Amino acid sequence: MNESLTNQTSLTSGQLIVCHVFVNTTTVASCLHRPLTAHTAAVMRENDESEIIEHHDDEEMEKTRTPRNHAHSFLESVTSSEKDGYRSTQSSHRLLAYSDALISIIATVMILPVAHTKFQDNEELKQSIQALLTTKVAVYLMTFLIVTVAWAAHIRLFQVIQRIDDTLALLNLACMMLITFLPYTFSLMATFPSNTFGILLFCACVMVIGLIQAMIVLYGFSHPFFLSDQIQMSENQAYYKRRILEVIMRVPIMCLFASIFSFIYIQLSYIILALVIFLPYISQCLKWIWSKAIGGLVEDSPDSVPFYTYHPSEPLSKERVEAFSDGVYAIVATLLILDICKDNVPDPSVVKKEFDGKLLVALQEYGPEYLAYFGSFATVGLLWFVHHSLFLYVTKATRLMGLFNTFSLAFVGGLPLAYQLTHEFPRGSLNELEAVQISCVIIFFAGLFQLAMWVTALFTERETLHPYVRYGGREHAFMLAKLSVYPCVALGTFVFSCILSRFSTSIFHMMEIGVPFAFILLRLLVRVVLAAIRWLFCPARNDLDIVPVEEEDSQLPINDIVT
Amino acid sequence: MNESLTNQTSLTSGQLIVCHVFVNTTTVASCLHRPLTAHTAAVMRENDESEIIEHHDDEEMEKTRTPRNHAHSFLESVTSSEKDGYRSTQSSHRLLAYSDALISIIATVMILPVAHTKFQDNEELKQSIQALLTTKVAVYLMTFLIVTVAWAAHIRLFQVIQRIDDTLALLNLACMMLITFLPYTFSLMATFPSNTFGILLFCACVMVIGLIQAMIVLYGFSHPFFLSDQIQMSENQAYYKRRILEVIMRVPIMCLFASIFSFIYIQLSYIILALVIFLPYISQCLKWIWSKAIGGLVEDSPDSVPFYTYHPSEPLSKERVEAFSDGVYAIVATLLILDICKDNVPDPSVVKKEFDGKLLVALQEYGPEYLAYFGSFATVGLLWFVHHSLFLYVTKATRLMGLFNTFSLAFVGGLPLAYQLTHEFPRGSLNELEAVQISCVIIFFAGLFQLAMWVTALFTERETLHPYVRYGGREHAFMLAKLSVYPCVALGTFVFSCILSRFSTSIFHMMEIGVPFAFILLRLLVRVVLAAIRWLFCPARNDLDIVPVEEEDSQLPINDIVT
């Protein structure tokens, strides 16, 4: 014992630093966790060198191999592109954040043409406007759906390729360019449904995207240090590569067929395209029903490629789901002010003529629009807040949760339409009532799918949720309350606006402005309600809110100084 | 010595965990850094519970204090809001990402009204259109500048407040709502420059934002576990609080004066507002000139508040600069397709009448616009790529770099205007030449300010840059080449379009489409050029490219079991 101590001290005096971290706690996981994260976060902020993945060992070895032979090493570095690629390897983090931002904006921005359709109380024009509106809504929904599918494929791809270099970054940008072009092909398809050009253009884009993704995969597998550690370690790399290429090329090949069939019978190609999107879900549904009906579990082969199973519980990068959702919520909140700035600044000449140059009087006309703006912004902001609160406690996002998230976001993207509708029509008209009801429906479904996400997560709560919000957890009731505020309020407003149809807009605006206060007081309200329920129904059983804290404690390796 | 050891071992057998980290290295900072980050990153990925900052110790203590007294503990938890807040503490990461997304979109989206101004070759209308355009450009630039200032203030605030709870999240959303409303006040100011209402509305918004930020600070300091570790540890909390509140309230108070003066002499209030923005920079400039002229260094007092110094080398959160830039690049890239979808889908009736229902022929009209779209997307994408490459090697972002980044982004935001201009005018007109030249100027400055960022970083390269891109570093020449591609090419295109004015648009489009290939071949080109230079000028000195690699190598922690 004495010897070891002496040994240690002598090393310290040399170059050794001994860090003793004494942590006194019962839960080992949190013990290891806290000091490290707090510390490392500080270090990382100071010094962000961690993004460039370094290979000092490699360099060291090179140095020892060719000591001071610089001319040779220079030539070598020019020729050996392999080593060069290895050196310029980067973390893919920011590339993915940028892609998420691009894709989320592209998915949402197509609501603008919908929202900007001018409505009139003219019965003659109504029919043609409604046809136009249907087209535009169709374009928006198609864009949102297909772009989200492309995004899911992008997630899957970059779960395999986890490090990048300049070439991969440029290939990814090319891919993004084509994805942002997709909405235009939908516009063509929706405007000229019987013309083959739109569908051909779409198929061409998808095929090129597929080819680029295949190139990314091939490039990644030819430089294995780009791959995820799991695949890098595996011996089945060739099998993985083939399997992933098969999955990726499936869609472009179906698009090829769709484009060929478009010359023969155009309806058929639309059906093929619909199949492309829903096939994974349909096959999974059938599998699930089959397994429930027959009882025999249809298991995937054990050596199937991770991330490419299309299973509903397949993990989806939680970070990227958050980044994508943030993008959608941010763009929706911002589109509103664009309209305000464009339409609600009166013309100086008009102000001079009609209002004697009195700006304030001229602006009073727009009163309801400001109200609608603040109400809509509050709604978007609070829906983001609910999403944020939920994902704080989500530990793993699954594909099914991602699907519900997409649906929720598609409705959130419809909110600018709700804004446009609720201030467009004259007070008390029938259109106004319709507008308010459409808005309520949009908000209701946006909230409901958020709730559905949580319910889905609860089914596999051990994997997907933090203990606090699991059934019986400390924050369970509060989370439920947070998630159900918007569906309940929207439903209530819908019913009230039916009964008191004359005051529908006022009710709607009061709802939008009142909800933030509900959120501020929510924790208190939940407490009071819970206490009341407990006091009324089960005064004897006071242990309802006690969490069955799981004993997840694992003993950590303890470096004993052996005597 | 022996005694202490025994003491330690006895504790270990109880509840104590002893972590020995043996690190053998010369640089202590890097030693602490690498092994920990690698480890923690792995832990964080596996188990994302880290976002909820837990306080198990606290819970444990509570449990032991009130063993099995549930009714009491329940009541207690209702009343003690202090403990409650402590429990619901969250990481602020996602809140900041969402704020960055919102602010970046708001800053950029005001370019849309500028880009959508219709130009005509009509001389009579030209004057009024130019006046309108100037107004809109002024609104865009003011919005971009002020919103960026608000963003910098937001960064500073949340460098002090590093953890949040629901209340802070809601307060921040309220703050965001008012920030997104600012562009409207600028629109009013620019349209009615002599009316007091615009300036009053702006001042009111700024004052309310200031109040909300003050509330955030007060709330943060009343719950010290929200604060940054540095301030949390400090004994001067009261001083810090007062100092930060002073800095935050400075702007609202100046706005109060501006709004009062607006009734007396409106020009004065505009001057006050301009002062608000530039005062920190002016005072810093004067200080710097003073210190250079007199020689005596004007040092800040040693106990000044971190993050609130306004010094040019004040650190700026690198993450947030990246997130903000990503947002701007993403929204700019996406705004383009919105125009394509709106304007370039022909009306079905027109196609039927004028083109015999031949869609392809009808679409051929739009040929140049597609080219302009792909060219502009490539430009935005590659400017992002350059920014990304630069920030991979930036270890610390400073305020001055942030300023240059803002200028660069303001020009990037002007790219939709460039797109609109380059396909608007008939071939060969004088307007076309002007449009191409304006586009070149926009691209030139966007690239130049990126280069300026790097040059700024080089002045303090030890702190701000990774060794690879420092002077003489391995990637130095390559980085220089990457950053100077766009300024050089834009300058070249400008000169060529002056000489060959008839082909200006073709030259411009060829430039936009050729640059991506230049980037693909850039590494090779740089190698060849470097080799040529070396071979020509200094064949003897082959050691130019040898990096003075710092010996940062650290031996990994070795957990020896000492015998």
Side-chain angles (χ1 to χ4, degrees), chain A residues 395-406:
Chain A
T395 50
K396 187 188 115 185
T398 63
R399 185 148 299 277
L400 197 59
M401 284 165 72
L403 194 68
F404 285 129
N405 190 40
T406 306

Side-chain angles (χ1 to χ4, degrees), chain A residues 5 19-20 26 36 43 52 59-60 74 90 94 166 180 184 326 337 344 370 373 387 468 482, chain B residues 1 15 19-20 23 33 36 59 90 94 166 180 184 326 337 344 370 373 387 392 468 482 534 553:
Chain A
L5 208 82
C19 307
H20 289 259
T26 46
L36 281 180
V43 171
I52 304 151
E59 274 175 60
E60 277 309 305
F74 175 72
Q90 307 151 5
R94 201 178 156 198
D166 286 1
T180 57
Y184 182 65
D326 282 350
I337 194 67
N344 297 7
Y370 301 132
Y373 169 68
H387 191 274
Y468 286 6
K482 257 186 191 172
Chain B
M1 207 184 245
Q15 274 193 329
C19 307
H20 288 258
V23 187
H33 183 99
L36 281 181
E59 273 174 61
Q90 306 151 4
R94 200 177 157 199
D166 285 1
T180 58
Y184 182 65
D326 282 349
I337 194 66
N344 297 8
Y370 302 132
Y373 169 68
H387 191 274
L392 265 183
Y468 287 5
K482 256 187 192 169
R534 204 159 297 151
D553 320 21

Side-chain angles (χ1 to χ4, degrees), chain B residues 253-298:
Chain B
I253 286 169
M254 283 185 85
C255 279
L256 185 67
F257 281 111
S259 59
I260 292 168
F261 278 114
S262 72
F263 290 106
I264 304 163
Y265 185 59
I266 199 161
Q267 272 74 10
L268 190 64
S269 35
Y270 282 116
I271 293 170
I272 294 177
L273 290 186
L275 271 184
V276 170
I277 301 168
F278 295 109
L279 201 61
Y281 298 109
I282 294 169
S283 74
Q284 279 302 327
C285 261
L286 288 179
K287 242 186 214 172
W288 186 77
I289 291 167
W290 186 258
S291 73
K292 287 283 156 185
I294 308 296
L297 272 165
V298 186

Side-chain angles (χ1 to χ4, degrees), chain A residues 463-535:
Chain A
E463 284 171 40
T464 50
L465 288 181
H466 189 274
Y468 286 6
V469 291
R470 288 187 197 158
Y471 183 71
R474 205 168 69 188
E475 301 271 322
H476 184 86
F478 185 53
M479 183 57 68
L480 178 66
K482 257 186 191 172
L483 283 164
S484 45
V485 165
Y486 265 110
C488 293
V489 167
L491 204 66
T493 314
F494 189 90
V495 173
F496 267 108
S497 69
C498 287
I499 300 168
L500 304 164
S501 58
R502 277 193 56 203
F503 306 103
S504 58
T505 314
S506 317
I507 293 173
F508 185 73
H509 287 319
M510 267 167 60
M511 178 277 272
E512 279 191 320
I513 288 160
V515 171
F517 297 101
F519 270 98
I520 292 171
L521 301 173
L522 197 61
R523 195 172 277 273
L524 205 69
L525 285 177
V526 170
R527 284 271 160 68
V528 172
V529 169
L530 273 186
I533 290 173
R534 204 158 298 150
W535 185 72

